Amino acid sequence: MGNWRCQSLNTTVTLSERVKYEAPQSMSMARSSNNLTLSWDNKNGNKDAVIEVKFRRLEETSGTWKTFKKEVKQAMVTLENLQNESVYELQVRQMSKHVKHPLWSDWTPILDVPTEIPNPPEVNWTVEDFNNGTRLLKLTWGTPPYPVSMQVNYNLSLHIWPCLLKRKNFTSVTTTEISVYVTYSAVSGDINAFNKVGKSSPTHILVPAKHLTFPSKSWPNDRLIPLNYAHGFMKSCLEWYKLTDGETRPEKVNRSKLNGTVEKKLKHIREKMDDYVRYYYLVHKQTDGKPHSTEMCLMYKKEGAPSKAPDHFTAPILNVTTNSAMLHWKPIPVPDQRGFLTHYEVCYTRRGPKNESHIETECHNSFASKTEYLVQNLTPGSIYYIHLAGATAAGSGPTTTIEIATKPLPQSVIGWIIAGIIVLIAILITVCLFIIKRHKRKIFPPIPRPVVAESVNYRARNQNMYEKEEVHELQLHDNCSQEPNPEEATVLEVSETHECEDTDEKCLRESSTPVSDLLSPDYKGQVLRLETPDSSQGEIDCMVTMLMYRNGLVFDMKAYSTEDVGIPL
């Protein structure tokens, strides 16, 4: 073995003629681009050796080997001009350079040479919350495609326990998933894939903390928090940090082990906090080997009104109709909120005519978690000024204003509205007339009229206004004649009377004419007019009229006046 000497019970020799090295042991590989670097252990201090490597592509297992020889002074050799995306297999042997008759060592077993891993693992994570301060974190990642996937393992390191800076390492993981219990605090870590020829670049893992999405509390001067867990702080730790954007955990996190006086520790923590800045704190402890969070809280040391108005309306305004408008805006950034937002104030004012000031101002509140609001009951064809501001418990902040114009009503709609109004008025008038007609006597009671006695002459003169009756026979009797002729009773005659010279006696000069000669052939329904002298010539009561009907009724009618009497036949 070189120039080493040793003492033996038999003899002492120096091996300088024939030397055979053992095969290289603990081979390691590193592949980069088209080069492959091989290295091995040199426990015996062999120097200036000759290395022979034979290799071939894995797809060419039935082909011949390619050989490569090189003198090396260190236990390392590099093969060049290999195909980067191909898998190789090789064997290595070595031989001494300083002896007269060196012998080759045995070949190493056939070694597979995979390709390098170009991309880091793609990691996905899911969290199952048990709602008791503990979460189950499950990490999964995919395997790279062949041939990169040959003999790939993974190294994983996670920062699980927030009270310690030391990470928990998971080495040589052969699966593509892992599950671990974590607290409500953020979990960070790294994972990389490796094989015989190298490792990939690491993938950074960050599981955010379980932040509260609603306002929690402020920290007034007269109250120290957290109080509910004061007795258990001796075995707990407090983690607190500033939320610059409301969600992201900063790189620098404040951790305090509560192994001293709790009250002094909390006072010291509060003194380091700034006003109007949002903080997040968690209290952690371990129970039965499982880490869990016993308290979590969003907090402000002191709150104030927002220092900035909501960002300009986006879109800018969508869906402006005749009587409504949908508003959209961007939320106020957390650093500008300076407290917990309680709501947004939305006010809108309709612009009046030129000679009037703004009128009809209305204000409404929208939820702090909403970034849109529907303004309703607007006047068509009007201009509105809309004001928006955020508000905290300390008051409202600056406002942002935008002007919108509602759409006017189309002419067809106006026509339909007018027609509808006309139809409605007509229906109302019809209903009113129907009610008045139905209840006329109740609404307008009749006015009583005095009873006036109707004279006989008026009744006779207007007899044709009431009814007409068909007379079968009309007889006129002359009372002046002492001996009326019975034969003439059946003949209707018209007589003229003249006053005689003798005042004590009335004479009648008869000029009889048959009725049939006076009436037309169709005499039914005609009126026989009997003329009598004027009343100034004296009263004549010598005329008797008798109406005879077929049913046997006989009416005796006398002319009580000298006016014309008309009798319908």
Side-chain angles (χ1 to χ4, degrees):
M1 295 177 61
N3 294 325
W4 285 71
R5 295 176 180 272
C6 63
Q7 183 176 359
S8 174
L9 298 178
N10 296 325
T11 183
T12 299
V13 297
T14 300
L15 300 179
S16 60
E17 296 292 330
R18 295 180 181 274
V19 176
K20 181 179 180 180
Y21 289 162
E22 64 179 359
Q25 302 294 322
S26 303
M27 293 289 298
S28 62
M29 308 174 188
R31 194 167 182 176
S32 175
S33 185
N34 296 331
N35 299 329
L36 173 64
T37 300
L38 302 176
S39 60
W40 56 92
D41 291 339
N42 190 9
K43 296 181 180 179
N44 298 325
N46 298 333
K47 296 180 180 180
D48 298 332
V50 178
I51 299 297
E52 182 181 8
V53 180
K54 63 177 183 179
F55 60 92
R56 64 184 178 185
R57 294 175 58 187
L58 186 62
E59 295 84 358
E60 300 173 352
T61 54
S62 60
T64 58
W65 294 86
K66 295 180 181 181
T67 59
F68 171 78
K69 291 181 181 181
K70 186 177 181 180
E71 295 182 3
V72 296
K73 295 182 179 182
Q74 297 180 353
M76 180 182 298
V77 67
T78 300
L79 301 179
E80 298 178 350
N81 299 325
L82 299 180
Q83 295 183 11
N84 190 33
E85 297 180 355
S86 297
V87 179
Y88 288 85
E89 58 181 10
L90 56 80
Q91 288 181 298
V92 182
R93 66 180 180 176
Q94 62 181 347
M95 180 179 65
S96 176
K97 183 181 177 182
H98 299 286
V99 296
K100 293 180 180 181
H101 304 284
L103 300 176
W104 284 105
S105 68
D106 296 333
W107 288 101
T108 61
I110 296 177
L111 303 175
D112 293 332
V113 182
T115 61
E116 62 178 336
I117 304 174
N119 300 319
E122 296 182 0
V123 181
N124 298 317
W125 55 267
T126 58
V127 173
E128 182 180 357
D129 190 357
F130 297 109
N131 296 321
N132 59 355
T134 302
R135 298 182 295 174
L136 179 62
L137 174 62
K138 183 177 181 180
L139 300 174
T140 58
W141 54 90
T143 58
Y146 181 85
V148 181
S149 59
M150 293 181 58
Q151 303 175 356
V152 175
N153 294 329
Y154 303 91
N155 290 331
L156 175 64
S157 63
L158 294 175
H159 186 206
I160 297 175
W161 178 232
C163 300
L164 298 176
L165 296 177
K166 185 178 179 180
R167 292 187 175 188
K168 184 176 182 179
N169 296 322
F170 302 87
T171 59
S172 300
V173 179
T174 58
T175 61
T176 57
E177 65 177 32
I178 191 171
S179 298
V180 62
Y181 290 99
V182 296
T183 64
Y184 283 168
S185 179
V187 178
S188 60
D190 296 286
I191 183 174
N192 59 55
F194 69 93
N195 56 16
K196 291 181 178 181
V197 298
K199 61 181 180 181
S200 67
S201 57
T203 298
H204 184 63
I205 301 171
L206 178 59
V207 180
K210 182 183 177 181
H211 285 164
L212 300 177
T213 57
F214 54 88
S216 183
K217 64 180 68 176
S218 297
W219 193 351
N221 295 329
D222 57 348
R223 184 175 183 271
L224 297 175
I225 61 170
L227 294 179
N228 296 333
Y229 302 93
H231 299 288
F233 277 178
M234 299 301 294
K235 298 180 180 180
S236 303
C237 68
L238 177 64
E239 178 185 11
W240 56 282
Y241 49 87
K242 183 187 301 184
L243 290 175
T244 55
D245 60 354
E247 289 293 337
T248 305
R249 175 178 177 266
E251 295 182 0
K252 182 180 179 181
V253 176
N254 301 296
R255 296 181 178 89
S256 300
K257 289 187 177 181
L258 302 177
N259 52 6
T261 304
V262 175
E263 185 174 351
K264 292 182 179 180
K265 180 67 70 173
L266 296 178
K267 283 183 178 181
H268 180 67
I269 292 174
R270 191 180 187 280
E271 290 175 357
K272 293 182 179 181
M273 293 183 176
D274 300 328
D275 293 338
Y276 315 124
V277 177
R278 182 175 295 186
Y279 286 88
Y280 189 54
Y281 83 84
L282 303 97
V283 178
H284 309 292
K285 65 183 302 184
Q286 284 192 356
T287 303
D288 298 332
K290 293 182 181 180
H292 70 279
S293 301
T294 57
E295 185 174 358
M296 55 185 297
C297 182
L298 284 173
M299 54 171 292
Y300 282 90
K301 179 181 177 181
K302 183 179 180 180
E303 290 189 68
S307 61
K308 184 179 178 181
D311 286 349
H312 297 292
F313 293 99
T314 59
I317 300 278
L318 295 179
N319 300 330
V320 178
T321 63
T322 56
N323 60 354
S324 65
M326 177 63 76
L327 309 179
H328 299 267
W329 63 88
K330 294 181 180 179
I332 301 175
V334 172
D336 299 322
Q337 293 181 10
R338 295 163 54 90
F340 296 114
L341 284 181
T342 56
H343 60 277
Y344 285 100
E345 293 180 354
V346 181
C347 296
Y348 50 95
T349 303
R350 186 171 71 90
R351 189 175 71 181
K354 294 182 179 180
N355 56 351
E356 294 184 9
S357 60
H358 296 312
I359 57 176
E360 298 183 8
T361 299
E362 295 186 18
C363 293
H364 302 277
N365 293 336
S366 177
F367 293 107
S369 59
K370 301 292 184 180
T371 57
E372 62 181 16
Y373 185 78
L374 179 61
V375 181
Q376 296 178 318
N377 301 325
L378 301 180
T379 303
S382 301
I383 296 177
Y384 284 86
Y385 297 101
I386 299 179
H387 313 278
L388 178 66
T392 64
S396 301
T399 61
T400 180
T401 304
I402 193 173
E403 179 181 335
I404 65 170
T406 56
K407 297 180 181 179
L409 288 175
Q411 295 297 328
S412 59
V413 176
I414 297 177
W416 280 108
I417 292 176
I418 295 175
I421 294 174
I422 294 175
V423 171
L424 181 62
I425 293 175
I427 293 174
L428 292 176
I429 293 175
T430 304
V431 173
C432 293
L433 292 177
F434 177 77
I435 295 174
I436 292 173
K437 185 176 181 181
R438 187 178 183 90
H439 304 281
K440 182 177 181 181
R441 292 186 174 275
K442 294 182 180 179
I443 299 175
F444 305 107
I447 300 174
R449 292 183 295 178
V451 180
V452 179
E454 187 178 15
S455 63
V456 177
N457 293 336
Y458 176 80
R459 182 171 57 252
R461 186 170 60 250
N462 297 280
Q463 186 175 2
N464 61 342
M465 296 177 58
Y466 298 100
E467 61 181 358
K468 293 182 180 181
E469 296 180 352
E470 184 179 355
V471 180
H472 178 253
E473 185 177 354
L474 172 65
Q475 294 182 1
L476 299 178
H477 297 278
D478 188 4
N479 289 337
C480 297
S481 178
Q482 297 296 330
E483 294 179 359
N485 191 0
E487 295 179 358
E488 296 177 355
T490 59
V491 180
L492 180 61
E493 296 178 351
V494 178
S495 302
E496 296 181 359
T497 60
H498 298 275
E499 185 177 357
C500 299
E501 296 179 358
D502 191 1
T503 59
D504 296 332
E505 184 181 13
K506 295 180 180 180
C507 299
L508 178 63
R509 188 179 59 183
E510 298 179 357
S511 176
S512 300
T513 303
V515 176
S516 59
D517 295 335
L518 297 176
L519 301 176
S520 62
D522 188 12
Y523 60 88
K524 290 186 179 182
Q526 298 186 16
V527 177
L528 179 64
R529 185 172 301 280
L530 304 180
E531 297 182 357
T532 59
D534 189 30
S535 59
S536 60
Q537 298 178 2
E539 295 182 359
I540 300 175
D541 296 328
C542 59
M543 193 69 64
V544 177
T545 303
M546 298 185 66
L547 299 179
M548 300 182 65
Y549 295 87
R550 290 183 181 277
N551 54 8
L553 297 177
V554 178
F555 292 91
D556 186 2
M557 302 177 62
K558 292 183 180 182
Y560 290 97
S561 66
T562 59
E563 297 179 359
D564 295 341
V565 178
I567 301 174
L569 298 179

